[in-house]
Amino acid sequence: TAVAVEAVVASTVDSVLAQRKDQERRYQKQRRKNQHQQEKLHRSNSDRATDTVDFSAAEPSRAEATIRQKRRFRRLRKAATITSALALVAWVPVVLAAFGVEIPYYSEIPMVSAVVQSVLQAAACGVGWSVFSLAVSNLVRGRVTCHLAVALCNIVTLLDTATAPLFVNRLAAASLGGISMVALALDLWGECWHAGALKEGFRLVALGRPAYVVDLTENGAVKQSGPADGFYNRTVREDEAMGWQSLLLPVILVASVVFGALASFGQGQRSNFLWCWSAILTAGTALSLPFTYSLPYFRLAKRLGKSGCAVAGFYGARQLSYSREILVGDEDLFPAGTMKMAGMKLIAEDRRKVAAYAGSLARVYGGTWPGLLEAFMQAEGATQQRLEEFHVHEEGGVSAIIRGETVILGIANLIRKMSIRLPKSLEWKDGLFLAVDGELVAIFGVVYEPADSVSWALGAMRRNRLSPLLATRDPNLQPKFLRAYFGSDGGSTLLDLEERLMLTERPRRKQILRPNALLYREGLAPFLEAVAGSRRLCRAVTAANLITLFACILGTLLAFYLMFVGRASMLTPPQLLLFLGLWMLPVLLLAWNTDRI
């Protein structure tokens, strides 16, 4: 019988050991897999997290930059409103004629209509002189921009409108000055939106030193304390849309002249040159050219401004858009005031000793524990103890030798791992346990109060395909815990203990990051909005730019084709405006969706 009992015990022990070895193998395999994925993500981020542009140039004062953009925004808004009103007046006769309503003298005498339209367009050009000024200044620097295309459209259509009654053999086609005026008004609105976005960002910077600076590092998007130096230079840097337009627009402008000459002089109808050129030029100047970047940026800047954050223009947004991960710490998930001490159950020892041991371990470990236990230590009049052989455990907690006693502070998982007996019924399952020399001496109840903003941020990460990398010190803050408290973990990944400790070390967190975005508020929500908004801005601008440039190319070729086959009569102002407006619609939808984080 004794042999049988020994055999049963031996087999039981062997099975338990085998089970533990199997669990250990699975754990190590999963750990290696996670480490491989993290290294792959870090390599991808580090390849992109390079800043090769020099932003060390002197910057204007923050108050001066804010005032300048505020004045510019007001001036452009006024000019855009007046130009829009003039364009609307110019389109009134066209709309009335489409419904069969004739205006005395205007509809009967071509000279009268030409003079009225020329005066209206000249007035619009006078109000929108800033577009012509921008076109000339950029051209002097060797840059062909959308401002030059809009300015050239207005000049050519104005010349065609003014000289139309003087050419007897001119094609009986309406002038396209009304469309050029619409393009001029939209150009002014585009500059107005850009000034408004800059004003919103500089307004925040003028408040003083930001709470955090956001940058892309090898660990994904990271926020840390730092100065805002360089934010202005990053913000005013040329955007991607303007860069691509400066490459394609010279070709389109030259093609409009060549195609206009072929459609007029090439067919022996030189009196039609101005109209042919203006028609091809107008059809090839998409109405969305001036605001493919400024409108999405304006909407995003307004959204971020309400949340207390700002992105450093397209350059800063492009840097942050490379990130697929956000480094999340304890304070992001549970800001100050959302973790409280629910109570304490003293099992052995005296309160002052328990307070001294628990507070000393928590202070050295860091994270959210000091805020919970240091107040208890001060209330009991305890002092900081000297720690020897301090160690952080993978299972969730810390241990050290204090006054010759082995002290452990951690969650229930660590206490069980150390073969320390726990009460059968635990009142606080997410609490902290303090053990001295293998005996449980105290239980600290911790209450986690999830914030609505954090719940929204974790859900928004899923929608924006961003993954939080948990660099937390509180061992309770794991994906399973987040799903239980917030309803979603945002697709989070818990980093290895060694990496978490390294990333949350106080000396390391003092490194200076590049100000690609600034945060003036605490919490995970502003951080997520800055990173997700940057990704949405870059996607919107890239897609809108492709659509706009394709519309320019198609419009130029289509207008020339209709002239070449003798169907120039189809290029009427209403039909051409409808064509350009349909291509503008997807750009507006992309801009509208930019701030829907």
Side-chain angles (χ1 to χ4, degrees):
T1 305
V3 176
V5 171
E6 290 179 0
V8 171
V9 172
S11 63
T12 303
V13 172
D14 292 340
S15 63
V16 170
L17 292 176
Q19 185 178 5
R20 286 188 176 182
K21 289 181 180 180
D22 186 55
Q23 291 177 350
E24 183 69 21
R25 283 196 299 268
R26 289 200 302 268
Y27 170 77
Q28 293 295 339
K29 182 178 180 182
Q30 183 65 31
R31 182 176 179 179
R32 287 194 298 269
K33 181 179 179 181
N34 292 338
Q35 186 176 3
H36 176 72
Q37 292 176 349
Q38 291 164 15
E39 291 176 354
K40 184 178 179 181
L41 294 174
H42 293 171
R43 285 195 303 269
S44 177
N45 286 332
S46 61
D47 291 341
R48 291 168 169 172
T50 54
D51 197 347
T52 58
V53 184
D54 183 17
F55 292 105
S56 59
E59 297 180 335
S61 67
R62 297 166 184 178
E64 178 187 350
T66 305
I67 294 173
R68 184 190 306 165
Q69 294 303 327
K70 185 180 295 185
R71 292 175 178 173
R72 182 167 173 261
F73 172 73
R74 292 175 179 174
R75 183 179 70 251
L76 288 169
R77 183 175 60 183
K78 182 179 179 181
T81 302
I82 297 175
T83 306
S84 300
L86 291 173
L88 184 62
V89 172
W91 275 92
V92 169
V94 180
V95 175
L96 293 177
F99 287 96
V101 179
E102 294 186 358
I103 303 175
Y105 299 107
Y106 182 90
S107 304
E108 300 169 356
I109 306 175
M111 182 61 73
V112 174
S113 62
V115 170
V116 171
Q117 290 291 330
S118 298
V119 170
L120 289 173
Q121 189 171 0
C125 292
V127 174
W129 62 270
S130 58
V131 173
F132 295 85
S133 176
L134 286 172
V136 173
S137 61
N138 285 314
L139 188 60
V140 169
R141 292 182 296 169
R143 305 288 289 177
V144 177
T145 61
C146 60
H147 309 302
L148 179 61
V150 172
L152 195 58
C153 274
N154 279 273
I155 293 174
V156 176
T157 53
L158 180 58
L159 290 174
D160 177 60
T161 303
T163 60
L166 305 179
F167 291 104
V168 180
N169 298 326
R170 180 185 179 277
L171 182 68
S175 176
L176 302 175
I179 299 179
S180 298
M181 294 173 68
V182 172
L184 180 62
L186 290 175
D187 197 330
L188 289 170
W189 280 116
E191 286 299 299
C192 175
W193 291 325
H194 187 230
L198 295 178
K199 171 182 70 73
E200 192 65 32
F202 295 155
R203 177 187 64 82
L204 285 175
V205 180
L207 296 177
R209 185 182 177 92
Y212 298 103
V213 171
V214 182
D215 191 17
L216 175 67
T217 67
E218 59 185 13
N219 299 297
V222 179
K223 68 171 187 177
Q224 291 183 16
S225 299
D229 299 338
F231 180 81
Y232 176 88
N233 289 334
R234 280 174 165 78
T235 304
V236 299
R237 184 172 172 80
E238 185 180 75
D239 58 276
E240 181 184 78
M242 193 67 72
W244 280 101
Q245 290 174 13
S246 63
L247 294 176
L248 183 64
L249 285 179
V251 179
I252 293 178
L253 296 181
V254 172
S256 67
V257 178
V258 175
F259 290 162
L262 291 175
S264 55
F265 292 103
Q267 297 183 2
Q269 300 174 355
R270 57 183 183 180
S271 58
N272 294 335
F273 173 69
L274 283 177
W275 185 88
C276 292
W277 185 16
S278 66
I280 297 174
L281 187 60
T282 304
T285 304
L287 296 179
S288 56
L289 268 175
F291 59 84
T292 52
Y293 165 66
S294 60
L295 182 55
Y297 181 37
F298 175 71
R299 290 186 61 85
L300 180 63
K302 294 288 286 185
R303 165 68 184 267
L304 297 182
K306 295 178 182 178
S307 301
C309 51
V311 174
F314 188 85
Y315 182 86
R318 173 60 74 191
Q319 295 296 308
L320 296 180
S321 69
Y322 292 133
S323 175
R324 299 296 183 270
E325 303 82 33
I326 294 181
L327 196 67
V328 178
D330 301 65
E331 66 279 0
D332 296 319
L333 297 171
F334 287 95
T338 58
M339 289 181 61
K340 300 179 181 179
M341 184 78 74
M344 185 194 73
K345 183 177 181 181
L346 192 64
I347 300 175
E349 304 289 351
D350 61 276
R351 293 177 63 89
R352 178 174 293 186
K353 181 178 179 180
V354 168
Y357 283 8
S360 300
L361 287 170
R363 179 176 293 178
V364 174
Y365 181 53
T368 56
W369 289 0
L372 297 172
L373 298 176
E374 283 187 352
F376 171 61
M377 183 173 67
Q378 294 174 1
E380 296 298 326
T383 57
Q384 177 74 24
Q385 302 296 309
R386 181 173 177 270
L387 307 183
E388 298 178 359
E389 299 183 17
F390 181 81
H391 180 69
V392 181
H393 297 268
E394 182 78 35
E395 294 78 13
V398 293
S399 64
I401 296 178
I402 304 177
R403 296 180 179 179
E405 297 178 310
T406 302
V407 184
I408 300 174
L409 177 66
I411 60 176
N413 187 35
L414 174 62
I415 301 300
R416 293 191 184 97
K417 186 73 174 180
M418 295 296 179
S419 301
I420 300 173
R421 182 177 299 179
L422 290 175
K424 293 182 179 179
S425 60
L426 293 178
E427 184 178 354
W428 302 296
K429 294 184 179 179
D430 297 325
L432 293 176
F433 301 84
L434 182 69
V436 178
D437 286 340
E439 294 292 333
L440 186 67
V441 298
I443 304 175
F444 302 95
V446 181
V447 176
Y448 295 85
E449 298 178 354
D452 294 337
S453 60
V454 178
S455 300
W456 173 85
L458 290 174
M461 286 185 187
R462 288 281 191 182
R463 296 193 299 271
N464 292 277
R465 298 180 181 178
L466 288 168
S467 301
L469 297 180
L470 301 182
T472 55
R473 293 211 167 200
D474 189 337
N476 283 323
L477 302 185
Q478 299 187 16
K480 183 179 179 180
F481 179 88
L482 299 183
R483 288 192 294 270
Y485 272 79
F486 298 104
S488 172
D489 63 353
S492 59
T493 301
L494 183 65
L495 298 176
D496 289 340
L497 177 62
E498 183 179 349
E499 192 167 11
R500 279 185 280 144
L501 296 176
M502 180 187 64
L503 291 173
T504 53
E505 248 177 22
R506 288 190 179 92
R508 182 179 177 84
R509 294 183 66 84
K510 292 181 180 179
Q511 62 177 326
I512 298 177
L513 300 182
R514 300 163 297 183
N516 288 315
L518 304 178
L519 305 180
Y520 283 82
R521 289 183 185 175
E522 299 284 345
L524 182 60
F527 185 22
L528 179 275
E529 289 188 42
V531 179
S534 299
R535 286 169 54 84
R536 298 179 78 88
L537 174 64
C538 292
R539 287 201 300 263
V541 172
T542 301
N545 198 37
L546 290 175
I547 293 172
T548 300
L549 294 179
F550 183 75
C552 292
I553 297 173
L554 184 62
T556 301
L557 296 177
L558 183 60
F560 175 65
Y561 172 76
L562 292 176
M563 293 177 186
F564 188 77
V565 297
R567 303 297 299 273
S569 59
M570 295 182 64
L571 296 173
T572 61
Q575 291 177 327
L576 190 53
L577 183 63
L578 178 62
F579 171 80
L580 295 174
L582 290 176
W583 281 105
M584 184 177 64
L585 183 60
V587 177
L588 294 176
L589 292 176
L590 287 169
W592 178 82
N593 196 47
T594 303
D595 61 341
R596 305 288 174 177
I597 300 174

